[in-house]
Amino acid sequence: MIGRITGTLIEKLPPTICVDVGGLGYDIDVPMSTLYSLPDTGARVTLYTHLTVREDAHILYGFASAGERSAFRELIKVSGIGARTALSVLSGLSVADLAQAITLQESGRLTRVPGIGKKTAERLLLEMRGKLGADIGASPHAAPDNQSDILNALLALGYSEKESLSALKTLPEGVGVSDGIKQALKALVR
């Protein structure tokens, strides 16, 4: 298994890059999040990798962080999710956003990713529950069902996901939905 590659970035042809390691060029498929974080061609790069061996090909996938690689490995374990779809998910959502969507069981966030329909999103949420350190983005204070209701209310009011999640983190432990919405709105106004 090839776990990590360090070399010179010689080509970017999304979603594939080529890294020269000692005169040997490795074609590596990467999610867009990793592609955007890469330096210009000619610079030295280090990527965490996952090698898939099939009858007709050996395919190398690269990631900017070990967390992205772990998320990729968990995603491809879900039935109906292949490597291309997993890359698409990681291109559309950060690992923290994915973990939060799983914790809050929000299929709507996943269906915004190209290639993920409602049934696939629901299967992904079901099979990944409790994996991926899925409490990464969750607030430890509000109950998950209350938190989800509060988040959905804030989104319906037109606040961005980032603003809404930030407001959720300010809520006290065990807050009810209506009180949570009021307090979150107050936090957003500040």
Side-chain angles (χ1 to χ4, degrees), residues 13-24:
L13 297 169
T16 304
I17 63 169
C18 187
V19 177
D20 180 288
V21 180
L24 188 62

Side-chain angles (χ1 to χ4, degrees), residues 86-102:
L87 284 181
S88 184
V89 169
L90 292 174
S91 292
L93 294 170
S94 70
V95 175
D97 288 342
L98 176 61
Q100 189 159 43
I102 292 166

